[in-house]
Each structure stands twice: as C-alpha cells, then as structure tokens.
Amino acid sequence: SWRSSLGPPCERPGERRGAEMKKLYGKDAPKIIAMETAMQLTFDRNCDLKKPKYWPVIPLKL
Amino acid sequence: MMQCGWPLLGPLQWIRYVNRQVMVKAGNDEEHRGWLLTVDPVSASLVLVTFREEGRASVQVVMGHAVEEVQVLQEADEETTRRLQTSFLPARTCGLDP
Amino acid sequence: SIPTSAASEADPEQLQQEQHARSVLRESFLRCLLSMNSKKVQFHMHEKVKLEATFGASDIDVLNFQVSDLHTPIGVQKEALIRCQDVISFTFDV
C-alpha cells in the first residue's frame, strides 16, 4: 500500500508520532510536522484522485 | 575522503558536507558532481546543485540507499554559498551555521 | 524511524545540536521536494532504466513518488507511482 506507515491505528498514531518528532527535531518539531502534514496531504489527495499504478509493476530492486 | 555507510552518519556529520562541492558515486556506475544543498535526514538522500548560465541551475537528488561514496572536492566561497542557499528555494528562516 | 546517536542520548547539548541540524536539513529537503511540483523530472533507475515524468508529490517517508505522464520504455503511463527504492537519482532544472 502507498499509505504512509504511521503505525497501527489502534496506537493513536498522531500522539506517538508527535513524541517521536519532538525527540528528533526538538523545538522545530511543530514546523517540520506542519510541512510534512501538508506534503502528505497532497500526496494522499493526488493518489485518491488520479489512482496511479506502480511502475514497474514488480520492483526493480528487491 | 571516502565515506562508508553514508545513511548511518547522522545529521551532525551530514551537515558538515553542506555548502561543499562533492562527488557522489551511486548505484555502481553513476557519478555526480555538484554543490551540496542538503541531506534528507529521513532517506539520507543528497541534493546537489549545478549552476548554469543566467541564474539557472540543475538539481540532482541522489537517493541515500544508492550512495556508494561521497568525496568533498572544495568549499564554497561566500558568493556560491549565497547563490546555493537562495537560488531556487524560498528565503530560509535560519542560517546553516551555528 | 530515525535513531538518535548514543552520544546525543547522554549529552543534552549535543542532542540539541543534532535536533537543530536535523531540522535545518529536513526543512531544506522538504522545500526541494515542494519546488518540484509540476516540474519535468528525469529519473535514473536501477537496471539502467531512465524515465521522464511530471512530478506530483512525494510521501513524507520518501518511499513513493507520485508522477504524471511517465515515459517508460514501453509507452506513456498517464498516472504512476515510482518506488524510491528503484531510483538511484533524479534530476530537474530550476
């Protein structure tokens, strides 16, 4: 699936990701999260809209 | 300077390559040269910029997983650094150097 | 996820430096990806495959690129996803 791997839904991924991001990016975490959220939203929306298929069908590099 | 395990170096090492002209070997037979704009800390991918005439530039992104070797060729002078950091991206909110 | 270095775990000052470096690098990379929207991009893939496409978007984990008008060796695919693992490098002009 092309959906981003944010973890199983039962784990409250938003919260877990927030803590992870804070550890990685410190005080800049909110800025990076905002940029990433916008980018992922565009990606998800484009995929929903355009229904792209993988090329090639089988990965070149296994 | 030979670098093994490029994806494992980490931000404090990667940032030392920023604003340097580097030669990157990738995927067995590719060789890229350019000024290093940044390294993605998630994928270890390198963004290289090559300046062309009339303020145009070409950007090469080398995926971190394919990197075989990174060599520093030279440091950017002030003008190149300025051009690199402002040429195609919106104005930065903070400088690279502490 | 990305490991923080062992040294940074022990030293708060170094942890902050590492977080700052990571933010600067990541922000710059995200801006680069955003600037590629609607640009013609040449992809160099493994197995010596070369592709041209109009860039759409990347997912944040840099696993997939969503592109349009992908020129493959066997024709044009209108809408496509490219696995980043298949890609060695890609080029575009600014």
Side-chain angles (χ1 to χ4, degrees):
Chain A
S1 156
W2 45 262
R3 293 271 178 197
S4 156
S5 54
L6 296 179
C10 55
E11 271 187 48
R12 294 210 276 176
E15 213 168 280
R16 195 184 61 131
R17 191 171 139 73
E20 242 170 54
M21 294 291 283
K22 180 82 193 154
K23 192 174 162 200
L24 288 172
Y25 296 101
K27 65 175 171 54
D28 294 323
K31 180 169 67 174
I32 303 293
I33 289 173
M35 290 182 78
E36 287 191 352
T37 305
M39 201 170 89
Q40 188 67 41
L41 215 63
T42 306
F43 180 84
D44 289 348
R45 200 190 45 217
N46 287 1
C47 287
D48 285 342
L49 220 65
K50 298 163 188 274
K51 310 259 185 300
K53 297 275 187 302
Y54 273 114
W55 196 96
V57 177
I58 309 289
L60 292 171
K61 191 87 174 172
L62 294 172
Chain B
M1 189 191 323
M2 173 72 190
Q3 283 300 332
C4 297
W6 173 258
L8 300 174
L9 286 186
L12 290 174
Q13 293 299 316
W14 289 323
I15 207 159
R16 294 167 59 182
Y17 290 79
V18 169
N19 297 332
R20 307 277 191 281
Q21 189 184 40
V22 296
M23 191 274 290
V24 183
K25 286 187 182 172
N28 298 329
D29 55 0
E30 279 193 25
E31 203 175 294
H32 300 277
R33 274 159 204 266
W35 297 99
L36 187 74
L37 176 71
T38 191
V39 179
D40 175 35
V42 173
S43 64
S45 302
L46 299 93
V47 180
L48 306 179
V49 178
T50 310
F51 297 114
R52 311 246 178 260
E53 69 295 338
E54 290 168 33
R56 301 195 59 83
S58 131
V59 181
Q60 294 158 311
V61 181
V62 184
M63 304 303 292
H65 65 80
V67 171
E68 302 275 325
E69 184 185 335
V70 182
Q71 248 185 61
V72 174
L73 302 176
Q74 61 171 318
E75 272 191 48
D77 56 24
E78 222 170 272
E79 169 62 13
T80 308
T81 301
R82 190 196 58 76
R83 235 180 129 183
L84 182 59
Q85 296 299 334
T86 58
S87 57
F88 76 107
L89 303 173
R92 305 185 56 85
T93 48
C94 53
L96 280 170
D97 296 310
Chain C
S1 81
I2 324 161
T4 43
S5 65
S8 305
E9 298 277 355
D11 179 353
E13 198 170 313
Q14 193 178 343
L15 176 65
Q16 257 187 24
Q17 279 175 12
E18 192 176 283
Q19 288 171 334
H20 178 69
R22 188 179 284 114
S23 309
V24 169
L25 293 169
R26 181 65 168 165
E27 182 182 347
S28 190
F29 185 72
L30 291 175
R31 287 196 191 286
C32 170
L33 287 179
L34 291 171
S35 80
M36 291 168 63
N37 183 36
S38 303
K39 281 209 158 71
K40 283 259 187 307
V41 177
Q42 288 83 39
F43 292 94
H44 293 199
M45 318 279 283
H46 283 288
E47 314 305 331
K48 298 190 188 299
V49 177
K50 299 208 173 169
L51 305 170
E52 189 172 287
T54 304
F55 197 82
S58 166
D59 59 13
I60 58 173
D61 301 311
V62 203
L63 298 175
N64 303 287
F65 295 139
Q66 173 261 321
V67 301
S68 301
D69 294 319
L70 177 69
H71 292 253
T72 80
I74 51 159
V76 177
Q77 186 169 323
K78 188 79 193 118
E79 304 294 346
L81 280 178
I82 295 176
R83 296 176 193 83
C84 298
Q85 278 296 321
D86 287 344
V87 179
I88 296 172
S89 69
F90 56 92
T91 307
F92 61 99
D93 288 333
V94 292

